[in-house]
Amino acid sequence: MKLTSRQERLLKLTFIDFVQVSEFLEAPLIVDKAEGLYYWDQSGKRYFDAIGGIYVAVLGHRHPRVMEAMRRQMEKITFAPPLHGTSNVTLDFIERLGAVTPENLNYIKPFSGGSESTEAAMKFVRQYFKQTGHPGKYKFISFYQAYHGATFGAMAASGWGKRKAKFEPQMNGFIKAFLPHHFRDVFSSWDEANRFAAKMAEDIMINEDPDTIAAVLIEPICNTGGIITPTDEFFSMLKESCRRHNIILIYDEVITGYARTGNMFAAQSFGAVPDIICAGKGLSSGAIPLGAMMAREDMKDAFFGMPEDEIQFAHGHTFAGNPLACAVGVAVLDEIVENKLDVKARRLGDYLAKKLEGLKTLGVVREIRGRGMIRGVELVRNMQSLEPFPELGMALKKTSLDNGIILRINPDWFAVAPALIADESDIDEMVELIEKSLKDALKVVGKPR
Ligand SMILES: Cc1ncc(COP(=O)(O)O)c(C=O)c1O
């Protein structure tokens, strides 16, 4: 894509998330239009959006129902005074979301994105324990390789040194465990690696002193680690350990929610419901910033009292519960529920996985991971050494754009999470583009023996 000198100058006056601008300028992408499964850049070239923006466009871009809900809401009210009141559509959203959360997770606060939601959940848990007779519980256990957001608390809970070291010292009270993937080559089976990782997490709780641990925070499927997908048993064991030690279990479902894994939330897919779920990204299908924290209903007793008790959640954001954002959230949830997109994600996800398995014939794909309509593909030099192949991913960044497809590339794995409006023929088109881009990338880097 060709940039004008003005665009180049302006790009040097801003930042691209986590990407060096000089690298971006080598293969720039400026999108101008989006609809359904596609983006168009400023020259009119079409791109298959295999990642829904960045796990956001669950219903595709500019879904008509969502656009209509926004238009209607704009005619009524787009901002409510947060310290004085709320709006009816905000209450509608809380009701709709509460109706689709698992078990009794219907104590809900809307926010404007993922980091706000995880950050709020951690503050909420600390305040909860202070007000329920356990003021010494303040630490958080989370996992290496995880990403929970960019703000200070969410960053401290995240597990990538490269994204954190520049901002050290981190907040204290954040302890890390390893995900099962870390042990996959040590054990003879994935199940055993999962059992060991869950056991390690409990060992950490015990050795830290459970009376100091407030919560465990985990993504059901860890994106930044490479779509790491633990077993159902891992989550059951983690939940049981948390229960034993009076520790709150928080799932960061910013990516895995809204039907993506085959149920409204991954908590249902993995069969172990936490105490709190955090949401963001796909909750608005990308139309507007929206997130939410959903806690066990009984937790409200710790926050509801007389004004002089001063036990209300001491937290807020100007745009939390924004009427326009909540109108979008209602439309997205209604569309998912009415069209049973959770069931569709299960069926289409199996088809997607099967198609991606076909890439193994290229001899550089070790594993296809994930669940439902989120899948990761691990790139290795060859099937004997199983050594990571980041150069291939780096080349794929360019060949995929050349071929008109947008992937999440890390670079020794890549992920796909197409919108749930896709059907089998769209998946076929997407996997064909991926295969062509991988072959082109292999031509660039050469296939190692
Ligand atoms: C799992 C997860 N949690 C939290 C966040 C933070 O969300 P946001 O970028 O909306 O603040 C992200 C963003 O990528 C994420 O992937």
Side-chain angles (χ1 to χ4, degrees):
M1 215 188 84
K2 269 211 120 22
L3 296 176
T4 63
S5 55
R6 173 181 165 270
Q7 284 175 322
E8 249 194 81
R9 180 173 58 80
L10 291 174
L11 280 164
K12 286 179 185 163
L13 291 176
T14 186
F15 304 94
I16 304 290
D17 287 9
F18 300 107
V19 175
Q20 170 53 249
V21 170
S22 67
E23 184 192 341
F24 177 78
L25 290 174
E26 299 274 303
L29 175 68
I30 298 189
V31 286
D32 223 26
K33 195 180 114 179
E35 194 163 330
L37 294 165
Y38 299 98
Y39 279 117
W40 285 262
D41 73 14
Q42 59 182 22
S43 68
K45 177 174 169 178
R46 195 179 83 163
Y47 298 81
F48 191 110
D49 183 7
I51 200 75
I54 185 70
Y55 307 105
V56 169
V58 167
L59 302 177
H61 296 280
R62 296 177 55 247
H63 190 280
R65 183 174 195 158
V66 175
M67 297 298 103
E68 180 54 27
M70 280 181 106
R71 268 191 292 272
R72 262 188 283 118
Q73 188 59 40
M74 278 193 287
E75 297 301 324
K76 281 177 90 178
I77 177 172
T78 56
F79 193 83
L83 289 177
H84 303 80
T86 185
S87 73
N88 268 316
V89 69
T90 309
L91 296 179
D92 292 344
F93 174 66
I94 289 165
E95 185 179 46
R96 287 297 206 292
L97 192 53
V100 297
T101 51
E103 295 182 358
N104 63 345
L105 301 194
N106 45 23
Y107 187 35
I108 291 171
K109 176 72 181 165
F111 292 114
S112 302
S115 305
E116 274 191 15
S117 305
T118 54
E119 192 83 30
M122 290 187 282
K123 288 177 71 177
F124 175 83
V125 167
R126 278 198 179 167
Q127 189 177 338
Y128 171 79
F129 277 125
K130 283 198 168 47
Q131 292 175 184
T132 53
H134 302 280
K137 277 181 165 292
Y138 72 98
K139 294 179 195 163
F140 298 100
I141 297 176
S142 53
F143 291 81
Y144 285 112
Q145 299 193 309
Y147 182 71
H148 298 295
T151 50
F152 256 92
M155 172 175 64
S158 299
W160 272 107
K162 277 195 175 159
R163 284 192 177 181
K164 297 167 62 173
K166 293 180 171 68
F167 310 105
E168 283 178 346
Q170 296 288 321
M171 294 171 72
N172 63 23
F174 288 79
I175 295 145
K176 297 289 172 304
F178 282 105
L179 286 164
H181 191 76
H182 190 71
F183 309 108
R184 72 172 165 165
D185 292 327
V186 182
F187 291 93
S188 58
S189 78
W190 181 232
D191 284 342
E192 275 182 75
N194 275 267
R195 273 177 219 128
F196 183 77
K199 167 87 174 55
M200 285 277 286
E202 179 159 22
D203 287 349
I204 291 171
M205 294 171 195
I206 294 166
N207 282 277
E208 282 288 331
D209 180 356
D211 289 342
T212 68
I213 312 283
V216 169
L217 175 59
I218 185 166
E219 293 164 82
I221 295 177
C222 173
N223 164 53
T224 42
I227 314 298
I228 297 172
T229 311
T231 59
D232 293 4
E233 187 186 16
F234 172 84
F235 288 104
S236 304
M237 288 177 71
L238 195 60
K239 179 175 170 160
E240 184 49 30
S241 304
C242 287
R243 194 200 56 75
R244 259 198 295 275
H245 302 296
N246 189 24
I247 290 168
I248 297 294
L249 180 59
I250 307 172
Y251 285 175
D252 175 344
E253 294 227 31
V254 168
I255 287 179
T256 55
Y258 348 108
R260 176 134 320 266
T261 66
N263 286 284
M264 188 56 90
F265 290 98
Q268 295 143 317
S269 298
F270 288 97
V273 175
D275 304 288
I276 297 175
I277 290 178
C278 297
K281 290 193 187 281
L283 198 49
S284 73
S285 195
I288 197 164
L290 180 64
M293 177 191 85
M294 297 148 261
R296 269 181 10 229
E297 187 173 339
D298 60 278
M299 294 177 93
K300 74 179 183 330
D301 299 340
F303 295 88
F304 192 85
M306 300 306 289
E308 57 273 22
D309 299 337
E310 294 195 14
I311 57 170
Q312 65 275 19
F313 187 25
H315 185 84
H317 289 282
T318 301
F319 289 99
N322 174 268
L324 195 52
C326 287
V328 167
V330 168
V332 170
L333 291 173
D334 285 351
E335 182 68 14
I336 292 174
V337 170
E338 284 170 27
N339 293 287
K340 296 191 171 54
L341 293 182
D342 50 349
V343 178
K344 183 180 178 190
R346 239 172 285 162
R347 175 178 55 78
L348 206 57
D350 287 346
Y351 184 76
L352 170 62
K354 218 177 286 161
K355 294 288 293 187
L356 291 172
E357 285 288 333
L359 296 175
K360 287 188 173 168
T361 55
L362 295 175
V364 289
V365 171
R366 177 176 177 179
E367 262 183 15
I368 309 294
R369 300 190 278 264
R371 201 146 176 166
M373 286 285 274
I374 172 169
R375 300 283 168 170
V377 178
E378 182 182 4
L379 302 172
V380 290
R381 286 184 194 283
N382 57 58
M383 297 311 292
Q384 287 73 48
S385 71
L386 299 179
E387 231 186 285
F389 199 178
E391 299 86 349
L392 180 61
M394 289 307 291
L396 183 64
K397 283 188 183 191
K398 180 149 192 324
T399 58
S400 55
L401 287 184
D402 288 348
N403 285 312
I405 181 162
I406 298 178
L407 303 165
R408 165 83 164 90
I409 304 170
N410 206 34
D412 53 4
W413 56 267
F414 68 88
V416 294
L420 305 183
I421 53 164
D423 60 24
E424 278 81 356
S425 64
D426 299 312
I427 302 294
D428 292 347
E429 179 190 346
M430 184 185 84
V431 176
E432 266 167 41
L433 288 169
I434 292 172
E435 186 169 356
K436 172 150 187 2
S437 305
L438 264 177
K439 283 180 176 164
D440 290 350
L442 277 168
K443 278 184 213 147
V444 175
V445 294
K447 180 155 188 272
R449 289 171 200 285

